Amino acid sequence: MRVSRYFLPILKENPREAEIVSHRLMLRAGMIRQQGAGSFSWLPLGKRVLDKVCQIIREEQNRAGAQEILMPTIQSADLWIESGRYNDYGKEMLRIRDRQDRAMLYGPTNEEMVTDIFRAYVKSYKDLPLNLYHIQWKFRDEVRPRFGVMRSREFLMKDAYSFDLDYEGAKAAYNRMFVAYLRTFARMGLKAIPMRADTGPIGGDLSHEFIILASTGESAVFCDSGFLELPVPSAEIDFANDAEIARTVTEWTTLYAATDEMHDEDAWSSVPQGNQLAARGIEVGHIFHFGTKYSKPMNAKVSGPDGQEHFVSMGSYGIGPSRLTAAIIEASHDENGIIWPESVAPFELALINMKAGDSECDRVCEELYAGLTAAGREVLYDDTDQRAGAKFATADLIGLPWQVIVGPRGVAVGEVEVKNRATGERQTLPISAVAERFGAKR
């Protein structure tokens, strides 16, 4: 893609309404535009990142055995009345009526609808375990939406729902999602720490929030620094091996980790002082086992091996891709702009023509652009006639992992400069070595 043809509305000044780094940088980099309170349009650069975040989530959900569906955004109030949640949910639910005066709602979550789908088709334990997920826009009428897409009213959510015959099966399903979440966040360049969360009236200990450490985090967190050294499971981990998955979960839940709400001073004091890490954190995912909370009132049951009917044991597993995009920025930026991990960067390389209109600079840039694109690399070619300083500022602001800088002096001696955005390290390469340096995308 060429910058001269790309819709990239860069802002030079910091927007006054932006309270946190991610909101400010997403607006300045032309990733989003606010349309109303807590409502945003995703512009081309932002949409590319959002799609990459979703794709990683999708790949890891599929790897763990979950199956993708897509449910409606507008739901019938009847299902929520049946589950007992319609009157309890509160003002965050946007309630509406259609032209037949039927009570409807813009879904803030999908436990009822997915349970309705399950009970319509699944009747035997032989069809379990089952995990269904989708990636869909939700709406919660927050009383005070703020922090850009970090806490908006309309947001993109991956929500998965597991169905099992009994608690043991549900725990195995929970563990699979736990490990899938570790892999998901690691692939985005994040070190997510699972912290026990409140299970409310359900009780038990099967609820975890996944927190990334960031100085701009919304909540205080306390954890053993040993988490930073724990190896994330590789792609070879066998999700069909419940014992192996359970061992991984045990390894990741033995060390102390808690948000401010769940913090236990007595347990914290037992952590070696040199390992005590008190910091700020951002929640990027939440997994939760709720047993028969929905299956009982909605009569979702299967026949078991004993010939008896059993209400299925369920769990839900959420990741907000739109919120996660902002969280990545909060964890990875500097004074000049965003620093994207390569896996979610909107483009891999910024190709910067320092003197557009110079015949040799233009020629070299066109050859590099064609060669890198043919090799499968995602290149944003700045072919505009702006000053070189403005081009560098834009490249730093939007945070592409690599910058290939082509100028008249370098071209005269057959060289270009390559800059790593994260480290600032610069390297001079022969023009002929650029294709080899980046090569075909693996």
Side-chain angles (χ1 to χ4, degrees):
M1 178 58 66
R2 299 167 187 268
V3 172
S4 62
R5 301 176 188 172
Y6 198 56
F7 183 51
L8 186 64
I10 297 294
L11 301 180
K12 293 182 179 180
E13 303 296 329
N14 285 326
R16 284 181 296 177
E17 70 271 23
E19 299 177 65
I20 61 173
V21 170
S22 59
H23 190 193
R24 181 168 69 247
L25 291 177
M26 291 180 82
L27 288 170
R28 285 198 57 213
M31 293 180 63
I32 57 172
R33 174 175 172 77
Q34 184 160 336
Q35 302 298 154
S39 177
F40 296 86
S41 290
W42 288 74
L43 307 183
L45 196 77
K47 181 62 163 52
R48 287 181 71 94
V49 177
L50 190 62
D51 286 347
K52 289 192 174 185
V53 167
C54 287
Q55 185 57 29
I56 291 174
I57 293 170
R58 182 174 283 115
E59 289 170 4
E60 294 304 325
Q61 290 292 290
N62 295 346
R63 189 195 304 275
Q67 301 176 55
E68 187 172 9
I69 61 175
L70 184 59
M71 293 177 274
T73 55
I74 303 299
Q75 304 181 27
S76 168
D78 291 343
L79 290 174
W80 286 68
I81 293 170
E82 186 178 357
S83 74
R85 277 211 299 177
Y86 185 68
N87 293 322
D88 295 340
Y89 201 86
K91 293 183 177 180
E92 286 75 23
M93 181 189 289
L94 180 61
R95 294 167 168 84
I96 54 181
R97 288 190 174 271
D98 66 10
R99 64 173 60 195
Q100 276 79 39
D101 201 36
R102 290 175 295 209
M104 312 290 284
L105 58 98
Y106 193 128
T109 184
N110 279 72
E111 283 84 357
E112 284 82 1
M113 185 170 286
V114 77
T115 303
D116 180 56
I117 292 171
F118 175 88
R119 70 182 177 181
Y121 299 108
V122 183
K123 306 299 181 184
S124 170
Y125 76 96
K126 294 179 181 179
D127 296 320
L128 302 179
L130 180 65
N131 189 319
L132 302 175
Y133 79 95
H134 73 161
I135 300 175
Q136 180 214 53
W137 291 96
K138 313 284 192 198
F139 187 92
R140 295 177 188 169
D141 198 0
E142 292 274 358
V143 64
R144 190 186 173 200
R146 57 198 302 230
F147 303 148
V149 299
M150 188 72 77
R151 186 177 295 173
S152 55
R153 294 199 298 169
E154 189 172 4
F155 55 94
L156 193 60
M157 175 65 70
K158 185 286 302 182
D159 39 332
Y161 304 93
S162 62
F163 302 85
D164 288 273
L165 179 65
D166 51 27
Y167 175 78
E168 288 306 311
K171 186 173 183 179
Y174 183 95
N175 288 344
R176 286 191 289 273
M177 286 292 100
F178 187 106
V179 173
Y181 275 39
L182 291 177
R183 285 192 42 76
T184 297
F185 300 127
R187 287 185 58 188
M188 297 178 194
L190 300 172
K191 187 73 171 187
I193 299 173
M195 302 191 179
R196 279 185 57 180
D198 186 10
T199 56
I202 303 300
D205 60 359
L206 290 187
S207 181
H208 285 88
E209 295 176 354
F210 287 77
I211 305 288
I212 62 169
L213 303 182
S215 59
T216 53
E218 58 200 341
S219 57
V221 296
F222 305 85
C223 67
D224 190 313
S225 61
F227 273 109
L228 304 180
E229 307 302 324
L230 283 180
V232 173
S234 72
E236 282 66 51
I237 192 165
D238 183 3
F239 279 97
N241 187 331
D242 288 348
E244 179 186 0
I245 295 296
R247 283 193 298 271
T248 300
V249 173
T250 298
E251 181 182 21
W252 278 82
T253 53
T254 299
L255 297 175
Y256 183 84
T259 60
D260 194 33
E261 294 81 4
M262 298 290 287
H263 185 46
D264 182 337
E265 280 293 342
D266 290 338
W268 179 239
S269 64
S270 67
V271 176
Q273 193 165 4
N275 281 22
Q276 291 182 350
L277 179 57
R280 307 293 298 178
I282 300 171
E283 180 191 335
V284 290
H286 192 174
I287 61 177
F288 185 71
H289 168 256
F290 47 70
T292 58
K293 178 177 173 64
Y294 299 95
S295 59
K296 274 188 176 179
M298 298 187 70
N299 204 34
K301 53 190 177 182
V302 296
S303 60
D306 56 2
Q308 303 297 311
E309 290 193 322
H310 300 258
F311 292 108
V312 288
S313 188
M314 297 172 57
S316 68
Y317 316 91
I319 295 176
S322 50
R323 174 185 173 88
L324 183 53
T325 301
I328 293 171
I329 296 173
E330 292 290 334
S332 185
H333 68 272
D334 62 16
E335 66 276 8
N336 296 318
I338 303 165
I339 303 174
W340 290 116
E342 292 197 29
S343 59
V344 296
F347 296 90
E348 296 171 275
L349 300 103
L351 177 60
I352 301 173
N353 187 340
M354 290 177 63
K355 194 172 183 181
D358 179 272
S359 59
E360 283 302 291
C361 284
D362 290 350
R363 178 186 63 78
V364 170
C365 284
E366 291 293 342
E367 290 176 357
L368 289 173
Y369 180 60
L372 290 167
T373 302
R377 293 294 179 178
E378 297 171 312
V379 183
L380 182 63
Y381 171 26
D382 194 339
D383 59 340
T384 65
D385 59 2
Q386 291 191 74
R387 294 179 296 104
K391 294 185 178 189
F392 295 148
T394 294
D396 282 348
L397 173 62
I398 65 177
L400 307 189
W402 297 96
Q403 298 173 19
V404 178
I405 303 163
V406 180
R409 292 182 182 177
V411 167
V413 293
E415 294 176 342
V416 297
E417 188 175 44
V418 175
K419 175 185 171 182
N420 181 295
R421 174 67 181 92
T423 65
E425 180 183 349
R426 295 172 180 266
Q427 181 183 15
T428 300
L429 290 179
I431 295 170
S432 59
V434 174
E436 182 181 348
R437 164 65 183 81
F438 292 101
K441 189 172 183 179
R442 292 184 291 276

